[in-house]
Amino acid sequence: MGVGVSIFFLTLGAILRFAIEPDVLGRNVHIDIIGIIFMIVGGVGAVLSIMLAPKRELTSEGRLMHRENHPPEV
């Protein structure tokens, strides 16, 4: 999960928690609890994305190959 998806989950969770009345879908569905879960998932995803970003840079450098661009002779 990237940082963008994490921010989306944080935003969606905040909207569900703070901007929507809890009884919109009835008494059996707790929108505010779903919002809290989305905010937790978004926060954990953002932290993990930021922590693992330097490791991705190190692994991608090893795969870089030098290639000369010479068109084929006709």
Side-chain angles (χ1 to χ4, degrees), residues 9-42:
F9 274 117
L10 281 169
T11 306
L12 181 64
I15 290 170
L16 291 175
R17 173 67 174 103
F18 300 114
I20 297 179
E21 293 292 326
D23 294 334
V24 170
L25 297 176
R27 293 182 180 219
N28 294 333
V29 179
H30 299 284
I31 295 290
D32 53 344
I33 301 298
I34 295 171
I36 291 172
I37 291 170
F38 278 172
M39 287 191 290
I40 291 170
V41 168

Side-chain angles (χ1 to χ4, degrees), residues 52-74:
L52 296 177
K55 292 182 182 179
R56 283 189 213 146
E57 291 176 4
L58 294 176
T59 57
S60 64
E61 288 179 8
R63 296 181 186 159
L64 181 64
M65 297 182 344
H66 179 70
R67 183 176 179 187
E68 295 182 15
N69 190 8
H70 294 294
E73 295 187 25
V74 179

